[in-house]
Amino acid sequence: VGVQVEVYSTMVPGEQSRGWERRWKNLKSALQELSRPISGVMSGESIHSEAQRLLSLIVDIYNIKDALKAEATSLGIRPQAVEDAINRDPRLTLIADLANLEKHATLSKPPRSGIIPSVAQIVGQDVRGTKGWRSVVTIRHGTTDLDALEVAKDGILGWEDALGNLGIFPSSVS
């Protein structure tokens, strides 16, 4: 007589909030994960899949503005202050343009960064000193080519500066 037992478990995190602070923690975590070399097989499909995860992170970095604007009154700021913070920081204006291009394929307004960026190339690249690889997404911004992972990191740094300037960046969230 054979017995087959399947065991399932469920875990419900204590924190269920989807506010800006939870989203911020998720962004930092996703950036850390995307910064690690991938140990699986590098293929055309896996390169595109990882590139999409990175581009989706850029969209999420920009979209934290919506949670901040929704919570603006309770944070003691005007919703427009969030938009103003984006417009003052070139790292965030580039994030805004890339996110809107990723979401809508074209920009319906002039680019916030002053130049319409584009995805110039997507490649898989071995990471030196590891047995892993990463998807490298090259962003063309005018005559400058940028690594999308660095653009994402700069976007996080831009938000850290903006949130600090708005007086709403608690040390517990950094």
Side-chain angles (χ1 to χ4, degrees):
V1 175
V3 177
Q4 183 175 354
V5 177
E6 292 185 36
V7 179
Y8 299 95
S9 68
T10 302
M11 179 180 176
V12 178
E15 182 185 350
Q16 295 291 308
S17 164
R18 292 291 303 149
W20 83 268
E21 290 182 282
R22 173 76 272 166
R23 291 167 193 258
W24 181 255
K25 289 177 184 175
N26 291 347
L27 288 176
K28 300 277 285 208
S29 201
L31 180 62
Q32 226 176 13
E33 185 179 321
L34 282 168
S35 297
R36 290 188 201 110
I38 300 155
S39 59
V41 174
M42 185 183 351
S43 67
E45 199 58 39
S46 62
I47 292 166
H48 280 288
S49 178
E50 288 301 310
Q52 186 57 50
R53 287 180 60 214
L54 178 54
L55 293 168
S56 294
L57 174 63
I58 288 172
V59 172
D60 291 344
I61 290 169
Y62 176 60
N63 284 342
I64 199 167
K65 79 175 180 93
D66 296 322
L68 287 163
K69 288 169 67 174
E71 296 178 48
T73 302
S74 66
L75 294 168
I77 61 170
R78 296 174 302 105
Q80 185 58 44
V82 177
E83 294 293 342
D84 293 344
I86 294 168
N87 290 331
R88 278 192 300 270
D89 191 312
R91 299 168 294 188
L92 295 178
T93 59
L94 178 56
I95 288 285
D97 289 342
L98 288 168
N100 282 317
L101 283 167
E102 186 63 20
K103 291 190 299 186
H104 307 294
T106 62
L107 296 179
S108 59
K109 298 176 185 173
R112 285 178 153 190
S113 66
I115 301 168
I116 298 173
S118 63
V119 173
Q121 187 177 42
I122 298 170
V123 299
Q125 185 177 73
D126 288 329
V127 177
R128 286 192 181 131
T130 75
K131 293 182 180 179
W133 62 275
R134 76 179 192 101
S135 182
V136 178
V137 179
T138 302
I139 302 298
R140 182 151 300 137
H141 195 231
T143 58
T144 306
D145 285 348
L146 306 163
D147 182 332
L149 183 60
E150 294 304 314
V151 170
K153 289 176 183 177
D154 285 346
I156 294 284
L157 293 173
W159 272 121
E160 286 178 354
D161 290 346
L163 294 171
N165 291 336
L166 292 169
I168 58 172
F169 193 77
S171 59
S172 63
V173 179
S174 60

